[in-house]
Amino acid sequence: MSIKIDLRVPPCKPMPMVADFVKQCEDAGFDGVGILDSQLLERDCFVAMAAALQATDRINVASAVTNPATRHPSVVASAAQTVAELAPDRVQVWIGRGYSSTATIGIPPATVRQMRHAVVTMKELMSGDMVSFGNDANSRMKHGGEAPPPPVYIAATGPRVMKVAGEVADGALLMTGIHPGAVSEAREIIADGARAAGRNPDDVETIFTATTIIKDDLKEAREIARPLAVSRLMEETYQRWLKAAGIDVGDLELPAGLWDLYPDVPHAEDWEKAQELCSFLPDDALAAICDYMGLIGTPEHCANRIKQAEKEGLTHLYLMTGATYEFATGEMEAFRDHIFPALDRNGH
């Protein structure tokens, strides 16, 4: 089994519990974990990454995802380089626009220009280079260049950010779903960015996010995922990828109350209310969107979808479960006990 599989881990509990859960993920056979960065919803991302690295021996640990709007690029660079000293080959920086981080404090998410500038600045600082910050401030990071810097990936949903990932990042974390049509289109956009910058597209790794909810009953899993499916319909960015996957839900009217959920639909604290507001989505549309998003269903269903994804050329999946304020214990156990054995992969 060559496909890499990472699991999202929210730092939603005290640090010893976060570290212990990541150790369980390592023992289960996962290749990596992504630690959420949302300063008011979770514990600190980089502290949690450090705790996780110290509790494990093999598993990769990434910021999933940090952002240049609430954290200055110099702050992210210093934090990432420092954490990487604990396990130089097991740290990755995943950086995005910072939606939940910015929304909770009333500032706009990072722009595409900010994303590009942040990645270039971080890579230069971590390499030990002098960087101009404007206003005659030319500085370098004292501990930059002392060890190989951790790779920097851009989390991208829209084509402009994808192109920037191809231009300047080591990889891209993509929220396009795992349908072959969407995967192919996203990869071509990244390749265009890489070629425009004189880079080899093969040097830019692509990780595809697979929304993951596993239950013994397929219908139950899809019902739990209903708000996540509806959230895809709420944002213009996702329309391109739904179309690429051949999904057309027609002119459905979205309830106004969806925009009142705190902090948003995918992270709603009142999940029952979110499911109630999302009950308008027809079951056939829900099923199609669930399969487009990723791995939503029984362990057997999800194992078969992973096998198919690998046949279609996917090399790395990031499992983003519906759990924001709890660990994804059920999904971790399903992979450990059922899915990894079905894939002939138990541990390493």
Side-chain angles (χ1 to χ4, degrees):
M1 187 64 190
S2 61
I3 192 169
K4 296 179 184 177
I5 301 179
D6 299 351
L7 180 66
R8 182 173 85 156
V9 176
C12 54
K13 306 288 183 183
M15 284 300 98
M17 297 176 68
V18 175
D20 179 68
F21 185 73
V22 174
K23 176 60 176 171
Q24 292 180 54
C25 293
E26 179 176 73
D27 293 342
F30 286 97
D31 295 284
V33 293
I35 306 293
L36 273 69
D37 185 12
S38 191
Q39 73 279 2
L40 296 185
L41 305 184
E42 310 285 357
R43 272 75 168 178
D44 183 77
C45 172
F46 288 98
V47 175
M49 289 173 67
L53 289 165
Q54 290 179 306
T56 55
D57 301 309
R58 172 193 59 79
I59 201 165
N60 290 330
V61 179
S63 59
V65 296
T66 192
N67 73 87
T70 60
R71 296 185 191 261
H72 190 275
S74 66
V75 175
V76 180
S78 181
Q81 192 80 347
T82 302
V83 169
E85 291 174 352
L86 295 171
D89 298 324
R90 295 200 285 134
V91 173
Q92 296 176 349
V93 182
W94 297 353
I95 188 166
R97 299 187 64 188
Y99 290 107
S100 69
S101 296
T102 58
T104 52
I105 60 173
I107 65 173
T111 65
V112 176
R113 180 174 293 187
Q114 278 180 284
M115 291 291 300
R116 190 185 198 287
H117 179 264
V119 171
V120 172
T121 298
M122 288 165 52
K123 291 171 74 71
E124 290 175 345
L125 288 171
M126 290 191 293
S127 296
D129 297 340
M130 188 72 72
V131 173
S132 173
F133 291 97
N135 298 320
D136 298 322
N138 298 300
S139 306
R140 61 181 175 83
M141 193 166 73
K142 184 173 176 59
H143 56 290
E146 294 181 359
V152 180
Y153 290 56
I154 289 180
T157 304
R160 291 176 60 209
V161 182
M162 289 180 186
K163 187 173 181 180
V164 168
E167 292 172 354
V168 301
D170 297 298
L173 177 69
L174 300 166
M175 287 283 291
T176 62
I178 63 172
H179 187 279
V183 168
S184 175
E185 191 169 326
R187 280 180 166 163
E188 188 55 39
I189 294 170
I190 292 168
D192 286 345
R195 286 189 287 263
R199 305 176 70 198
N200 183 346
D202 293 339
D203 292 338
V204 185
E205 185 188 12
T206 52
I207 305 174
F208 285 86
T209 299
T211 301
T212 304
I213 298 174
I214 302 172
K215 296 291 179 182
D216 291 333
D217 180 76
L218 177 63
K219 185 176 180 180
E220 179 187 2
R222 286 173 173 168
E223 282 302 322
I224 294 171
R226 188 176 282 275
L228 301 178
V230 169
S231 72
R232 296 297 195 273
L233 304 178
M234 295 172 64
E235 296 186 33
E236 183 64 30
T237 307
Y238 288 113
Q239 300 311 305
R240 178 178 190 144
W241 312 117
L242 288 165
K243 183 178 179 181
I247 296 174
D248 182 4
V249 299
D251 297 324
L252 289 175
E253 184 175 348
L254 304 180
L258 289 169
W259 281 268
D260 297 328
L261 290 169
Y262 178 83
D264 53 34
V265 174
H267 304 93
E269 286 186 351
D270 190 344
W271 199 249
E272 290 185 2
K273 182 65 174 178
Q275 288 179 300
E276 178 186 333
L277 286 168
C278 295
S279 61
F280 71 93
L281 184 66
D283 288 347
D284 58 345
L286 173 63
I289 295 174
C290 283
D291 280 347
Y292 138 79
M293 289 194 298
L295 311 174
I296 299 171
T298 64
E300 180 181 14
H301 177 80
C302 294
N304 288 334
R305 287 192 56 74
I306 292 171
K307 291 177 183 177
Q308 185 62 36
E310 188 174 25
K311 287 180 181 178
E312 291 165 352
L314 271 72
T315 58
H316 198 160
L317 292 176
Y318 173 56
L319 312 184
M320 192 167 75
T321 72
T324 298
Y325 307 109
E326 297 290 338
F327 297 136
T329 302
E331 282 73 19
M332 183 274 292
E333 292 175 347
F335 269 82
R336 181 193 66 198
D337 298 338
H338 303 288
I339 297 175
F340 283 147
L343 301 174
D344 296 322
R345 168 179 166 167
N346 257 332
H348 287 257

